[in-house]
Amino acid sequence: MLGRRIFLALVLILVGAGFGAVIVNVPRGGSAASVRDENPAVRATAIRAMGWYGDANLLIEALRDENADVRLLAAQHLGGEGPQGERRAAALVDALKDPHAGVRRVAAESLCSIGSESAPALIKALTDPDPRMRAGAALSLGDVGMDRESRQRAPNEVQTITPLLNKLLDDEDAEVRRNAAGALEVLIREAR
């Protein structure tokens, strides 16, 4: 029994060393070459190495990657307050149409975390013909992914989005209706 445990420990050490080799080969801060590597694991590791305020150009490019995990990581890292908020928001709104549900969810959370700078893109998305876009925009305008505080709103955002969200309550798509109702509940809670 002890010999088996030692064997398993050695296997885990060797596997960990193999994963470490991938991480070591990616420069701190990521690089354009690593984000464009043919191996999706290297691309994903490069995005992680960028940190939370990585190169917006590379992250936006990674939103169109063939690998869903790479797109998901790019969407995560594009969220939050910081430079180029409107540009990041526009790219994330496009990701609301992604075929992978996880990417769409993370894009919605990231849009919510960008705050007021994402409002113009989200308001436009509420009237998009694509139901995924409308559903994601409505989700983002709530507090999706916000643990403790409410989403930062643009001036007059509530007055603009309330009639649009009310109209979406009659949308043909169930997810759109559900997300619009959720966003309206958040607005009511914020008004108290």
Side-chain angles (χ1 to χ4, degrees), residues 92-181:
L92 285 164
V93 162
D94 284 340
L96 293 175
K97 294 188 278 189
D98 194 277
H100 190 278
V103 174
R104 293 193 307 268
R105 173 71 183 203
V106 170
E109 290 174 359
S110 290
L111 281 159
C112 184
S113 71
I114 288 174
S116 62
E117 288 187 275
S118 65
L122 288 171
I123 290 167
K124 183 178 177 187
L126 286 174
T127 60
D128 194 271
D130 188 326
R132 287 180 177 171
M133 182 80 83
R134 295 190 307 275
L139 185 64
S140 298
L141 288 164
D143 284 341
V144 63
M146 303 293 285
D147 290 332
R148 297 190 178 134
E149 53 194 58
S150 297
R151 179 180 172 277
Q152 295 296 315
R153 303 221 179 262
N156 300 317
E157 179 180 319
V158 173
Q159 294 82 354
T160 304
I161 65 172
T162 301
L164 295 171
L165 291 169
N166 277 315
K167 184 177 180 183
L168 291 179
L169 293 175
D170 295 325
D171 197 275
E172 61 189 35
D173 186 88
E175 184 180 8
V176 172
R177 293 191 306 269
R178 184 176 49 251
N179 292 351

